[in-house]
Amino acid sequence: MSQVSGRRRAVTILDVARAAGVSRAAVSKVIRDASGVSPAMRARVNAAVQELDYRPSVAARALRGASYTIGLEVPQVGNRFLTQIVEGALEALGDTRYQLMIAPADGREGYGAIEALADRQVDGIVVVSPRVEARWLERLAASVPVVMLGRHDRSERYDTVVGDDTAGAGQVLEHLVGLGHRHIVHLTEDSAVTAIGTGSPHTLRLRAYEDGMAAAGLGALARVVRTGQTEKSAQATMRELLAERPRPTAVFAGHDQLAIGALAAVVEADAGREVSLVGYDNTDLAAHPALSLTSVDQGGPEMGRRAIGMLLERIGGRTEPRHHVIRPSLAVRRSSGPPAHD
Amino acid sequence: MSQVSGRRRAVTILDVARAAGVSRAAVSKVIRDASGVSPAMRARVNAAVQELDYRPSVAARALRGASYTIGLEVPQVGNRFLTQIVEGALEALGDTRYQLMIAPADGREGYGAIEALADRQVDGIVVVSPRVEARWLERLAASVPVVMLGRHDRSERYDTVVGDDTAGAGQVLEHLVGLGHRHIVHLTEDSAVTAIGTGSPHTLRLRAYEDGMAAAGLGALARVVRTGQTEKSAQATMRELLAERPRPTAVFAGHDQLAIGALAAVVEADAGREVSLVGYDNTDLAAHPALSLTSVDQGGPEMGRRAIGMLLERIGGRTEPRHHVIRPSLAVRRSSGPPAHD
């Protein structure tokens, strides 16, 4: 690590220009702003930046001038938990001159949305992206301060804010097993979102589910059911589960969006007494008395506030990485209870 | 109108520079990008632009280069209806190279959020802003294509997409009066949002409520109750209404966010059979079987798709204004029924 740091300090913009075989002005142009630069030029300069591990200094960024905009990349605009993160972020920015710019990646991995923010010269970026590669993010963090929200990979280059997903999912299993459930299904998104090695929260929740089932002697009954990322898809998947005989007696949904969609199917089938439902995120909707969804609270608004606080510190000059972990707690409501029969 | 058009065609960037007493390059700088320009310079140039009614041509914008970003200003990120507009916008942009950038105005009028988008050189802006002055928007529309969503003021400079709020609110009144309700309260936001002359949808719904009550011979019973813009505030206000004796038998909420908050208070008080609730926007939540909220459907996703379609036409060179009106329809669900007693 110290070797890397040593090399980093020695590298200047001229070294990058020489390595890329372009002018110093061209490197500056690529680093300052993508527009008006050919893709080939950009690729050469970026390759040199990566090879030499060059980091434009905070001072250089200050010279260029602050835009007083903060970027926030979100995977999906309709997700209520993300909305609450945004609300926390807005709260943290309330007294500052900064304007928030949200770039939704809806349906894509997030690269385009994050790059668009960087190209628009925001002063820093909060990314909420389970599908962007850590290596790519490290390169991004060389030119603009980055805070990664939700994912558990650690970096020397960017900060992270995460909930303790293993502990949160563990509490769900403890709750459901404690109520007497054995046929507990885990409803989550497709395998791209739960792939090992991505550090995605959904990967950790899935593993904690499997570990929790095994620890309770229910490993053979563990069953992971995949669905889309919307309420509608979770509702359709839950309808299929409810059509099974015997039915699962409990469903642990990977996030509240899925849980609320599943709840729609449960209410339709009037199966509320037979099937327990637990979500994750404890969005404000979970507490609505007409829904009353048991859910893991990982403090969405607090996550947004933290992420902005850490980003503003980085914009202010901090370069040491910070990794903040939020302790979750289970909010128990009417959607979960003892199994009717097992 | 033809005089204005005639004058407009004659004005060049040099005329603006002379009137402002600055160089042509300075005018160009102000028009291209706000950063690196002093506020005083900007004010002088903008005053000259406004005075001379100068419009930088689409060709000039094309020369400067497209950023392939579209800005969307929203008054509040937590509002589900706005989320559905955004989803429609994303759908319309799905096959294009454009990235959406959302700037939330949360708690402010929207000027800062819209300016930040313009400063970041987005290629066009959709604004959803009941509180920004039409005159100010006209000036903005002189330098970047603008589509205004929801508001009924018409302009030669920007396009509009609106629902027919008078017809929608009229359907609500017809429905509730037809069920036999007489004590019908209209729950809406503070007077800044319903001020006459703003063309805000909430102004029109309020007027249609009053007209509908009068037409039904219930003018003396008309009662407008003000609350905040969040579910929490609507829930608190609804609790107060439920504590009254006699209670109102029906509440027409100005939008679904308020209706869902009010519904929380109704469910808490187990007053669902005694108090009918109707919302506006028919968000996907309204259809959730656990909520089952009667609401006016004005096609949020369709509004978002339309607004983007019209904006892309303007970016493509159209300068004739278009004003699109969406016909609403009432989706009747379990939250409204005949009064228990009157």
Side-chain angles (χ1 to χ4, degrees):
Chain A
M1 226 58 235
S2 62
Q3 254 197 336
V4 171
S5 301
R7 190 179 61 185
R8 188 189 300 161
R9 268 195 293 278
V11 176
T12 69
I13 192 165
L14 271 173
D15 299 323
V16 175
R18 272 183 214 120
V22 302
S23 70
R24 184 198 157 107
V27 175
S28 167
K29 220 168 161 187
V30 169
I31 289 166
R32 268 187 296 117
D33 182 14
S35 76
V37 174
S38 75
M41 167 78 81
R42 203 179 167 194
R44 271 163 75 187
V45 170
N46 280 336
V49 162
Q50 190 180 0
E51 191 192 318
L52 297 176
D53 203 25
Y54 173 66
R55 306 183 76 180
S57 70
V58 171
R61 213 168 52 232
L63 271 177
R64 169 184 99 199
S67 69
Y68 289 104
T69 49
I70 295 285
L72 173 61
E73 179 264 350
V74 294
Q76 197 202 5
V77 291
N79 186 301
R80 192 97 178 175
F81 178 58
L82 297 178
T83 298
Q84 295 195 257
I85 288 172
V86 174
E87 287 171 345
L90 286 169
E91 215 185 295
L93 290 174
D95 289 337
T96 72
R97 284 178 56 188
Y98 290 91
Q99 167 70 42
L100 194 68
M101 294 267 171
I102 304 162
D106 284 64
R108 303 177 196 171
E109 289 93 343
Y111 295 102
I114 297 168
E115 267 179 345
L117 289 169
D119 289 350
R120 295 297 95 208
Q121 301 184 342
V122 296
D123 295 332
I125 306 181
V126 175
V127 300
V128 189
S129 189
R131 290 166 70 188
V132 161
E133 283 179 23
R135 187 93 194 89
W136 187 88
L137 262 188
E138 294 236 310
R139 285 184 53 203
L140 175 75
S143 61
V144 60
V146 170
V147 176
M148 156 63 85
L149 211 148
R151 244 169 57 173
H152 292 258
D153 47 295
R154 290 187 165 226
S155 166
E156 290 292 311
R157 292 287 181 86
Y158 53 82
D159 298 336
T160 57
V161 176
V162 296
D164 185 340
D165 293 287
T166 303
Q171 287 174 39
V172 173
L173 264 288
E174 209 172 287
H175 171 64
L176 291 173
V177 170
L179 285 167
H181 291 280
R182 299 176 67 243
H183 293 273
I184 304 166
V185 164
H186 182 46
L187 182 66
T188 188
E189 293 188 24
D190 66 32
S191 49
V193 171
T194 61
I196 311 270
T198 59
S200 140
H202 302 289
T203 307
L204 272 74
R205 290 173 204 171
L206 170 55
R207 197 172 312 165
Y209 160 77
E210 290 174 332
D211 290 349
M213 288 296 276
L218 302 172
L221 297 177
R223 181 176 168 206
V224 176
V225 173
R226 305 284 180 171
T227 190
Q229 63 174 192
T230 64
E231 283 169 24
K232 282 255 167 291
S233 60
Q235 183 174 5
T237 305
M238 190 70 200
R239 277 185 190 136
E240 290 169 25
L241 285 173
L242 290 170
E244 295 180 0
R245 292 295 178 275
R247 282 172 173 164
T249 68
V251 173
F252 163 33
H255 56 78
D256 273 10
Q257 185 101 342
L258 302 183
I260 287 167
L263 183 62
V266 169
V267 173
E268 275 172 354
D270 198 18
R273 294 191 186 279
E274 289 161 67
V275 181
S276 284
L277 253 182
V278 179
Y280 206 110
D281 292 339
N282 197 30
T283 53
D284 49 0
L285 268 181
H288 194 290
L291 301 172
S292 196
L293 178 70
T294 297
S295 187
V296 178
D297 191 343
Q298 56 172 340
E302 169 66 12
M303 281 183 160
R305 280 192 298 269
R306 278 273 171 190
I308 292 297
M310 287 160 78
L311 194 64
L312 292 178
E313 282 172 23
R314 276 208 175 253
I315 290 168
R318 174 168 63 74
T319 53
E320 287 306 299
R322 294 229 177 116
H323 302 285
H324 184 79
V325 179
I326 290 177
R327 300 269 138 211
S329 63
L330 188 69
V332 177
R333 301 199 181 85
R334 289 201 318 274
S335 73
S336 60
H341 40 234
D342 197 1
Chain B
M1 226 58 239
S2 62
Q3 253 195 335
V4 171
S5 300
R7 190 179 60 185
R8 186 191 301 161
R9 269 194 293 278
V11 176
T12 69
I13 192 165
L14 271 174
D15 299 323
V16 176
R18 273 184 213 118
V22 302
S23 70
R24 183 199 158 109
V27 176
S28 167
K29 219 167 161 189
V30 169
I31 289 166
R32 268 186 296 116
D33 181 14
S35 75
V37 175
S38 76
M41 167 79 81
R42 204 181 168 194
R44 273 161 74 185
V45 170
N46 280 337
V49 163
Q50 190 180 0
E51 191 192 321
L52 297 175
D53 204 25
Y54 173 66
R55 306 183 75 178
S57 69
V58 171
R61 212 170 50 233
L63 272 177
R64 169 184 98 201
S67 69
Y68 288 104
T69 49
I70 295 284
L72 172 61
E73 179 265 348
V74 293
Q76 197 203 3
V77 290
N79 186 300
R80 192 98 178 176
F81 178 58
L82 297 177
T83 298
Q84 295 196 256
I85 288 172
V86 174
E87 286 172 345
L90 286 168
E91 213 185 295
L93 290 175
D95 289 337
T96 72
R97 281 180 56 189
Y98 290 90
Q99 167 71 40
L100 194 67
M101 294 266 171
I102 304 162
D106 284 64
R108 302 176 196 173
E109 289 93 344
Y111 295 102
I114 297 168
E115 267 178 345
L117 289 168
D119 289 350
R120 296 297 96 205
Q121 301 185 344
V122 296
D123 295 334
I125 306 181
V126 175
V127 299
V128 188
S129 188
R131 291 166 70 188
V132 161
E133 282 180 23
R135 188 94 196 88
W136 185 89
L137 261 187
E138 294 237 309
R139 285 182 53 200
L140 175 75
S143 62
V144 60
V146 169
V147 176
M148 155 63 85
L149 211 148
R151 243 168 57 172
H152 292 260
D153 47 294
R154 290 184 164 228
S155 166
E156 290 292 312
R157 291 287 180 84
Y158 53 83
D159 298 337
T160 57
V161 176
V162 296
D164 186 339
D165 294 286
T166 302
Q171 288 175 39
V172 174
L173 265 287
E174 211 171 284
H175 171 64
L176 291 173
V177 170
L179 286 168
H181 291 278
R182 299 175 69 242
H183 293 273
I184 305 167
V185 164
H186 182 44
L187 182 67
T188 189
E189 292 186 27
D190 65 33
S191 49
V193 171
T194 62
I196 311 272
T198 59
S200 139
H202 302 288
T203 307
L204 272 74
R205 291 173 203 170
L206 170 56
R207 196 173 311 165
Y209 160 78
E210 290 174 332
D211 290 350
M213 288 295 276
L218 302 172
L221 297 177
R223 181 176 168 204
V224 176
V225 173
R226 306 283 180 172
T227 190
Q229 64 174 190
T230 64
E231 282 168 24
K232 283 256 168 291
S233 60
Q235 183 174 6
T237 305
M238 190 69 198
R239 278 184 189 138
E240 291 169 24
L241 285 173
L242 290 171
E244 295 180 2
R245 292 293 179 277
R247 283 171 171 162
T249 67
V251 173
F252 163 33
H255 55 77
D256 273 10
Q257 185 101 341
L258 302 184
I260 287 167
L263 184 61
V266 169
V267 173
E268 274 172 354
D270 197 20
R273 292 192 188 279
E274 290 161 66
V275 181
S276 284
L277 253 182
V278 178
Y280 206 111
D281 293 338
N282 197 29
T283 53
D284 49 1
L285 269 181
H288 195 290
L291 300 173
S292 195
L293 177 71
T294 297
S295 187
V296 178
D297 191 342
Q298 57 171 339
E302 169 65 10
M303 280 184 160
R305 281 192 296 269
R306 278 273 169 189
I308 292 296
M310 286 159 79
L311 195 64
L312 292 178
E313 281 172 24
R314 276 208 174 254
I315 290 169
R318 173 168 64 74
T319 53
E320 287 306 298
R322 294 230 176 116
H323 302 284
H324 184 78
V325 179
I326 290 177
R327 298 272 137 210
S329 63
L330 187 69
V332 177
R333 301 199 180 87
R334 290 201 318 275
S335 73
S336 61
H341 40 234
D342 198 1

